[in-house]
Amino acid sequence: MSIAHRPFYFRFFIPIDKLFPLLLINWAMKWALLFLLFPFVALGQNDPGDNPDCDILIKNGKIVDGTGNNWYYGNVAVKYGKIFKIGRDVNVPAKKTIDASGLIIAPGFIDVHTHLEGDEAKDPNATNFIMDGVTTCITGNCGSSNIDIEKYLQFIDSLKLSINVATLIGHNDVREKVMGRADRDATPREMQQMKDIVDKAMRDGAVGFSTGLIYIPGTYTKTPEIVALAKVAAKYNGVYTTHMRNEGDSVTEAINEALTIGREAKIPVEISHFKLSGQQNWGRSKETVPMIEAARKEGIEVTIDQYPYTASSTTISTLIPDEILAGTSDSVNARLQKPGVRKYVIDYMLQKLKKRKLKHFSYAVVAYYETDTSYDGKSIEQINLIRGKKHTAKDEAETVIDIVMHGGASAVFHGMSEDDIKRIMKYPFNMFASDASIRQFNVGFPHPRGYGTNARVLAEYVRQAHVISLEEAVRRMTSLPAQKFQLHDRGLLAEGYAADIVIFDENKVQDVSTYDHPHAYSVGFNYVIVNGVLTVENGKHLGARAGHALYGPGVSK
Ligand SMILES: [Zn+2]
């Protein structure tokens, strides 16, 4: 057969005596190339497909992937900090295998409302969050954040926490930096300075802009100022989160203000710790939840979050009228010493108490009073009696003023109804959030939400009361917050996503922290993985600190 008549594939036929040297060269070149590329292959973390082995293989669990879809049996392989493979058929050799039989495998929880500022170094293990299944915190809420976001996120990375941290830029700190605690409108020049700070913060990696409109100086701010600053955050695709101006008698006006800001600044809105305070307002979630639904129908991208407790917690000075709290602490104290002002404040406080249908300040419990920690865990009513004062609301109001004048205190306020909590929880665009910081174990009498928010939702409201399903609760703790705050590679168990994973026992998960004994970690989270690093094993924090700063969409790097 001449070459011309051979079929095409024979035309390149090479006789065996010539083939052997060619094969030898080919073989030698392959090895030389492999040798040269070895360092890159070994260190290259981009293509886990090169190597079938993985770091962690989680087997036989019920996967609740964060989408809200029903659980299914399957395995999850983790490699180089990411989810490498997931599914029923996944079975690759692993450095570490976790048998998750009988357990739920879910994405790590994202706590959208925290206040870490100042507490980051107190426990870099962030034990209270990690033991509650939280792998990412969004801080800088209620208008309170660091001003220099670039520096703050670098600080987070230098500290090496066990959790990931993203931050908002807080309006109160921006305003205070520019205008102090002044009770007036901003001048055009001050307005520009505030805009510049927000602009830089967004470019430095803030995920959005937050307000705290019951706090000083946010409370002195009118809506147009907030709209103007929210527009800056919107330019960088940030969100607007708000501790609204009112969560009690004027809650509907406050919701309308938040929605106006969303509408005018064209920015997604997150209403923080959505609630109804004061007995006189119980049941009004029937009114407020439909307002959120109507706004969404209108096209405002509004979502809400809540903590699953009937008590709130904030500074005790929120009992005092805002206008009294302007300026420095010296000027506040000087004001409170004037008999006329004092009488005005006491009358205001007694009127508010009456509205709550209460005779004593028993609902307000001191969480931490640095000046005298023996008050921690006691109600204002109790403290007043300990101080040898008369058992009257008027004397109790005097006691509050005295605490404010001596450095102030944080407090827990018992004032919500269980029915409202459940009604708000049923709303599908509601997330869960602790509104807490990194807790220092055994310091003060803080609100239990800092230890038990997620465990409590899963135990009390999913397992016991069946308010929402397990899959729905997990969705609200994971993919919903990730979507809202644009953490694009978190919040789902899916290939290529960051390996933030919690493995828990749905029958045993439980919050342990209570108002009387707050310092207790949640139980039931057997394993927690952060960025692919095993952080909790058999319910014990291993001390791993694999969290890092997460940057918002406006980052200019
Ligand atoms: Zn708040």
Short mmCIF file of all heavy atoms in Angstrom, two decimals, residues 369-407:
data_model
loop_
_atom_site.label_atom_id
_atom_site.label_comp_id
_atom_site.label_asym_id
_atom_site.label_seq_id
_atom_site.Cartn_x
_atom_site.Cartn_y
_atom_site.Cartn_z
N TYR A 369 -22.10 48.08 84.88
CA TYR A 369 -21.90 49.43 85.40
C TYR A 369 -20.49 49.46 85.97
O TYR A 369 -20.21 48.91 87.04
CB TYR A 369 -22.94 49.72 86.48
CG TYR A 369 -22.85 51.09 87.13
CD1 TYR A 369 -22.68 52.24 86.37
CD2 TYR A 369 -22.99 51.22 88.50
CE1 TYR A 369 -22.62 53.49 86.97
CE2 TYR A 369 -22.94 52.47 89.13
CZ TYR A 369 -22.76 53.60 88.35
OH TYR A 369 -22.70 54.83 88.96
N GLU A 370 -19.59 50.06 85.19
CA GLU A 370 -18.17 50.02 85.53
C GLU A 370 -17.89 50.62 86.91
O GLU A 370 -17.05 50.11 87.65
CB GLU A 370 -17.38 50.78 84.45
CG GLU A 370 -15.93 50.34 84.41
CD GLU A 370 -15.14 51.05 83.30
OE1 GLU A 370 -15.71 51.88 82.58
OE2 GLU A 370 -13.95 50.76 83.19
N THR A 371 -18.64 51.66 87.26
CA THR A 371 -18.41 52.38 88.51
C THR A 371 -18.69 51.50 89.73
O THR A 371 -18.04 51.64 90.77
CB THR A 371 -19.31 53.64 88.54
OG1 THR A 371 -19.12 54.32 87.30
CG2 THR A 371 -18.97 54.56 89.68
N ASP A 372 -19.68 50.61 89.62
CA ASP A 372 -20.00 49.70 90.74
C ASP A 372 -20.60 48.42 90.15
O ASP A 372 -21.81 48.34 89.91
CB ASP A 372 -20.99 50.37 91.71
CG ASP A 372 -21.25 49.51 92.93
OD1 ASP A 372 -20.84 48.32 92.94
OD2 ASP A 372 -21.89 50.01 93.87
N THR A 373 -19.75 47.43 89.96
CA THR A 373 -20.22 46.21 89.27
C THR A 373 -21.17 45.38 90.15
O THR A 373 -21.75 44.42 89.67
CB THR A 373 -19.03 45.33 88.82
OG1 THR A 373 -18.18 45.11 89.95
CG2 THR A 373 -18.23 45.99 87.71
N SER A 374 -21.33 45.77 91.43
CA SER A 374 -22.29 45.03 92.26
C SER A 374 -23.72 45.29 91.78
O SER A 374 -24.64 44.57 92.14
CB SER A 374 -22.13 45.41 93.74
OG SER A 374 -22.65 46.71 93.95
N TYR A 375 -23.91 46.30 90.95
CA TYR A 375 -25.24 46.57 90.38
C TYR A 375 -25.55 45.63 89.21
O TYR A 375 -26.71 45.50 88.82
CB TYR A 375 -25.33 48.01 89.85
CG TYR A 375 -25.38 49.09 90.91
CD1 TYR A 375 -25.28 48.80 92.27
CD2 TYR A 375 -25.55 50.43 90.54
CE1 TYR A 375 -25.32 49.81 93.23
CE2 TYR A 375 -25.60 51.44 91.49
CZ TYR A 375 -25.48 51.13 92.83
OH TYR A 375 -25.52 52.13 93.76
N ASP A 376 -24.52 45.03 88.61
CA ASP A 376 -24.72 44.21 87.42
C ASP A 376 -25.71 43.08 87.70
O ASP A 376 -25.57 42.37 88.70
CB ASP A 376 -23.39 43.61 86.93
CG ASP A 376 -22.38 44.68 86.53
OD1 ASP A 376 -22.74 45.87 86.54
OD2 ASP A 376 -21.23 44.32 86.22
N GLY A 377 -26.68 42.94 86.83
CA GLY A 377 -27.66 41.86 86.99
C GLY A 377 -28.86 42.26 87.86
O GLY A 377 -29.77 41.46 88.05
N LYS A 378 -28.86 43.49 88.39
CA LYS A 378 -29.98 43.92 89.24
C LYS A 378 -30.84 44.96 88.50
O LYS A 378 -30.32 45.78 87.73
CB LYS A 378 -29.45 44.51 90.54
CG LYS A 378 -28.73 43.47 91.40
CD LYS A 378 -28.43 43.98 92.79
CE LYS A 378 -27.79 42.90 93.64
NZ LYS A 378 -26.40 42.59 93.23
N SER A 379 -32.13 44.94 88.80
CA SER A 379 -33.02 45.90 88.15
C SER A 379 -32.87 47.26 88.83
O SER A 379 -32.40 47.35 89.97
CB SER A 379 -34.47 45.43 88.24
OG SER A 379 -34.93 45.58 89.57
N ILE A 380 -33.32 48.29 88.13
CA ILE A 380 -33.27 49.65 88.70
C ILE A 380 -34.11 49.67 89.99
O ILE A 380 -33.73 50.32 90.97
CB ILE A 380 -33.79 50.68 87.68
CG1 ILE A 380 -32.82 50.77 86.49
CG2 ILE A 380 -34.00 52.05 88.31
CD1 ILE A 380 -31.42 51.24 86.81
N GLU A 381 -35.22 48.96 90.00
CA GLU A 381 -36.05 48.89 91.20
C GLU A 381 -35.23 48.32 92.37
O GLU A 381 -35.22 48.88 93.47
CB GLU A 381 -37.28 48.01 90.93
CG GLU A 381 -38.26 47.98 92.09
CD GLU A 381 -39.43 47.02 91.85
OE1 GLU A 381 -39.33 46.14 90.97
OE2 GLU A 381 -40.44 47.16 92.56
N GLN A 382 -34.51 47.23 92.11
CA GLN A 382 -33.69 46.61 93.16
C GLN A 382 -32.54 47.52 93.60
O GLN A 382 -32.30 47.69 94.80
CB GLN A 382 -33.10 45.27 92.67
CG GLN A 382 -34.14 44.18 92.51
CD GLN A 382 -33.56 42.97 91.77
OE1 GLN A 382 -32.86 43.10 90.77
NE2 GLN A 382 -33.86 41.79 92.29
N ILE A 383 -31.88 48.12 92.64
CA ILE A 383 -30.72 48.98 92.95
C ILE A 383 -31.16 50.16 93.81
O ILE A 383 -30.52 50.53 94.79
CB ILE A 383 -30.04 49.47 91.64
CG1 ILE A 383 -29.38 48.29 90.93
CG2 ILE A 383 -29.01 50.57 91.92
CD1 ILE A 383 -28.96 48.57 89.49
N ASN A 384 -32.31 50.70 93.46
CA ASN A 384 -32.85 51.84 94.20
C ASN A 384 -33.08 51.47 95.67
O ASN A 384 -32.77 52.25 96.58
CB ASN A 384 -34.14 52.29 93.53
CG ASN A 384 -34.72 53.54 94.14
OD1 ASN A 384 -34.06 54.58 94.14
ND2 ASN A 384 -35.91 53.45 94.69
N LEU A 385 -33.60 50.28 95.91
CA LEU A 385 -33.85 49.82 97.29
C LEU A 385 -32.53 49.58 98.02
O LEU A 385 -32.39 49.93 99.19
CB LEU A 385 -34.72 48.55 97.29
CG LEU A 385 -36.18 48.76 96.86
CD1 LEU A 385 -36.90 47.44 96.72
CD2 LEU A 385 -36.91 49.67 97.86
N ILE A 386 -31.55 48.99 97.29
CA ILE A 386 -30.22 48.75 97.89
C ILE A 386 -29.60 50.08 98.34
O ILE A 386 -28.94 50.15 99.37
CB ILE A 386 -29.30 48.02 96.87
CG1 ILE A 386 -29.79 46.59 96.66
CG2 ILE A 386 -27.84 48.01 97.34
CD1 ILE A 386 -29.17 45.90 95.45
N ARG A 387 -29.86 51.11 97.58
CA ARG A 387 -29.32 52.43 97.92
C ARG A 387 -30.08 53.11 99.05
O ARG A 387 -29.79 54.26 99.42
CB ARG A 387 -29.36 53.34 96.67
CG ARG A 387 -28.34 52.95 95.62
CD ARG A 387 -28.73 53.47 94.25
NE ARG A 387 -28.70 54.92 94.19
CZ ARG A 387 -27.74 55.61 93.58
NH1 ARG A 387 -26.75 55.00 93.00
NH2 ARG A 387 -27.79 56.92 93.55
N GLY A 388 -31.09 52.43 99.60
CA GLY A 388 -31.83 52.95 100.74
C GLY A 388 -32.83 54.04 100.37
O GLY A 388 -33.24 54.83 101.21
N LYS A 389 -33.22 54.06 99.09
CA LYS A 389 -34.19 55.08 98.65
C LYS A 389 -35.62 54.54 98.80
O LYS A 389 -35.84 53.36 99.04
CB LYS A 389 -33.92 55.43 97.18
CG LYS A 389 -32.55 56.02 96.92
CD LYS A 389 -32.49 57.45 97.40
CE LYS A 389 -31.14 58.09 97.21
NZ LYS A 389 -30.71 58.19 95.81
N LYS A 390 -36.57 55.47 98.65
CA LYS A 390 -37.98 55.09 98.75
C LYS A 390 -38.39 54.19 97.57
O LYS A 390 -37.89 54.35 96.46
CB LYS A 390 -38.85 56.35 98.77
CG LYS A 390 -38.97 56.96 100.17
CD LYS A 390 -39.95 58.12 100.17
CE LYS A 390 -39.24 59.42 99.82
NZ LYS A 390 -40.09 60.57 99.67
N HIS A 391 -39.33 53.31 97.83
CA HIS A 391 -39.79 52.38 96.80
C HIS A 391 -40.82 53.06 95.89
O HIS A 391 -41.99 52.67 95.82
CB HIS A 391 -40.38 51.13 97.46
CG HIS A 391 -40.61 50.01 96.49
ND1 HIS A 391 -41.45 48.95 96.74
CD2 HIS A 391 -40.10 49.77 95.26
CE1 HIS A 391 -41.46 48.13 95.70
NE2 HIS A 391 -40.64 48.61 94.80
N THR A 392 -40.35 54.14 95.23
CA THR A 392 -41.23 54.86 94.30
C THR A 392 -40.53 54.99 92.95
O THR A 392 -39.29 54.99 92.87
CB THR A 392 -41.51 56.29 94.81
OG1 THR A 392 -40.25 57.00 94.87
CG2 THR A 392 -42.16 56.30 96.17
N ALA A 393 -41.35 55.11 91.92
CA ALA A 393 -40.80 55.27 90.57
C ALA A 393 -39.97 56.55 90.48
O ALA A 393 -38.98 56.62 89.75
CB ALA A 393 -41.93 55.29 89.55
N LYS A 394 -40.38 57.58 91.25
CA LYS A 394 -39.66 58.86 91.20
C LYS A 394 -38.22 58.67 91.71
O LYS A 394 -37.26 59.13 91.08
CB LYS A 394 -40.39 59.90 92.06
CG LYS A 394 -39.76 61.27 92.02
CD LYS A 394 -40.62 62.29 92.76
CE LYS A 394 -39.89 63.62 92.89
NZ LYS A 394 -38.72 63.57 93.77
N ASP A 395 -38.08 57.96 92.83
CA ASP A 395 -36.72 57.71 93.35
C ASP A 395 -35.93 56.82 92.40
O ASP A 395 -34.71 56.96 92.26
CB ASP A 395 -36.80 57.08 94.75
CG ASP A 395 -36.92 58.16 95.84
OD1 ASP A 395 -37.47 59.23 95.53
OD2 ASP A 395 -36.47 57.92 96.98
N GLU A 396 -36.62 55.91 91.74
CA GLU A 396 -35.93 55.03 90.78
C GLU A 396 -35.42 55.85 89.59
O GLU A 396 -34.31 55.62 89.09
CB GLU A 396 -36.88 53.92 90.30
CG GLU A 396 -37.15 52.89 91.40
CD GLU A 396 -38.37 52.01 91.14
OE1 GLU A 396 -38.90 52.03 90.01
OE2 GLU A 396 -38.78 51.30 92.07
N ALA A 397 -36.20 56.83 89.16
CA ALA A 397 -35.76 57.72 88.08
C ALA A 397 -34.52 58.49 88.52
O ALA A 397 -33.57 58.66 87.74
CB ALA A 397 -36.88 58.67 87.69
N GLU A 398 -34.50 58.93 89.77
CA GLU A 398 -33.32 59.62 90.33
C GLU A 398 -32.09 58.70 90.27
O GLU A 398 -30.99 59.13 89.96
CB GLU A 398 -33.57 60.01 91.81
CG GLU A 398 -34.62 61.09 92.01
CD GLU A 398 -34.01 62.49 92.11
OE1 GLU A 398 -32.81 62.63 91.84
OE2 GLU A 398 -34.78 63.43 92.43
N THR A 399 -32.33 57.44 90.59
CA THR A 399 -31.23 56.45 90.56
C THR A 399 -30.67 56.31 89.14
O THR A 399 -29.45 56.25 88.95
CB THR A 399 -31.73 55.09 91.11
OG1 THR A 399 -31.99 55.26 92.50
CG2 THR A 399 -30.72 53.98 90.91
N VAL A 400 -31.57 56.29 88.15
CA VAL A 400 -31.11 56.20 86.75
C VAL A 400 -30.25 57.42 86.41
O VAL A 400 -29.16 57.30 85.84
CB VAL A 400 -32.31 56.10 85.77
CG1 VAL A 400 -31.85 56.23 84.33
CG2 VAL A 400 -33.05 54.78 85.98
N ILE A 401 -30.73 58.60 86.80
CA ILE A 401 -29.98 59.83 86.52
C ILE A 401 -28.60 59.76 87.17
O ILE A 401 -27.58 60.11 86.55
CB ILE A 401 -30.76 61.07 87.02
CG1 ILE A 401 -32.03 61.26 86.17
CG2 ILE A 401 -29.89 62.34 86.97
CD1 ILE A 401 -32.99 62.32 86.70
N ASP A 402 -28.57 59.27 88.39
CA ASP A 402 -27.30 59.15 89.11
C ASP A 402 -26.33 58.21 88.39
O ASP A 402 -25.13 58.50 88.28
CB ASP A 402 -27.59 58.63 90.53
CG ASP A 402 -26.48 59.02 91.47
OD1 ASP A 402 -26.18 60.22 91.54
OD2 ASP A 402 -25.88 58.11 92.08
N ILE A 403 -26.84 57.10 87.88
CA ILE A 403 -25.98 56.15 87.15
C ILE A 403 -25.44 56.81 85.87
O ILE A 403 -24.26 56.70 85.55
CB ILE A 403 -26.76 54.85 86.83
CG1 ILE A 403 -27.00 54.06 88.13
CG2 ILE A 403 -26.01 53.99 85.82
CD1 ILE A 403 -27.90 52.84 87.98
N VAL A 404 -26.33 57.53 85.17
CA VAL A 404 -25.91 58.22 83.94
C VAL A 404 -24.82 59.25 84.25
O VAL A 404 -23.83 59.38 83.52
CB VAL A 404 -27.12 58.90 83.24
CG1 VAL A 404 -26.67 59.82 82.11
CG2 VAL A 404 -28.07 57.82 82.70
N MET A 405 -24.97 59.94 85.40
CA MET A 405 -23.98 60.98 85.77
C MET A 405 -22.66 60.38 86.23
O MET A 405 -21.65 61.07 86.30
CB MET A 405 -24.56 61.89 86.86
CG MET A 405 -25.65 62.82 86.32
SD MET A 405 -26.39 63.84 87.60
CE MET A 405 -25.06 64.99 87.95
N HIS A 406 -22.66 59.10 86.57
CA HIS A 406 -21.43 58.45 87.02
C HIS A 406 -20.90 57.46 85.98
O HIS A 406 -20.46 56.36 86.32
CB HIS A 406 -21.65 57.76 88.37
CG HIS A 406 -21.77 58.75 89.50
ND1 HIS A 406 -22.97 59.35 89.82
CD2 HIS A 406 -20.83 59.27 90.32
CE1 HIS A 406 -22.76 60.20 90.82
NE2 HIS A 406 -21.47 60.17 91.15
N GLY A 407 -20.98 57.85 84.73
CA GLY A 407 -20.36 57.04 83.68
C GLY A 407 -21.33 56.21 82.86
O GLY A 407 -20.95 55.66 81.83
#
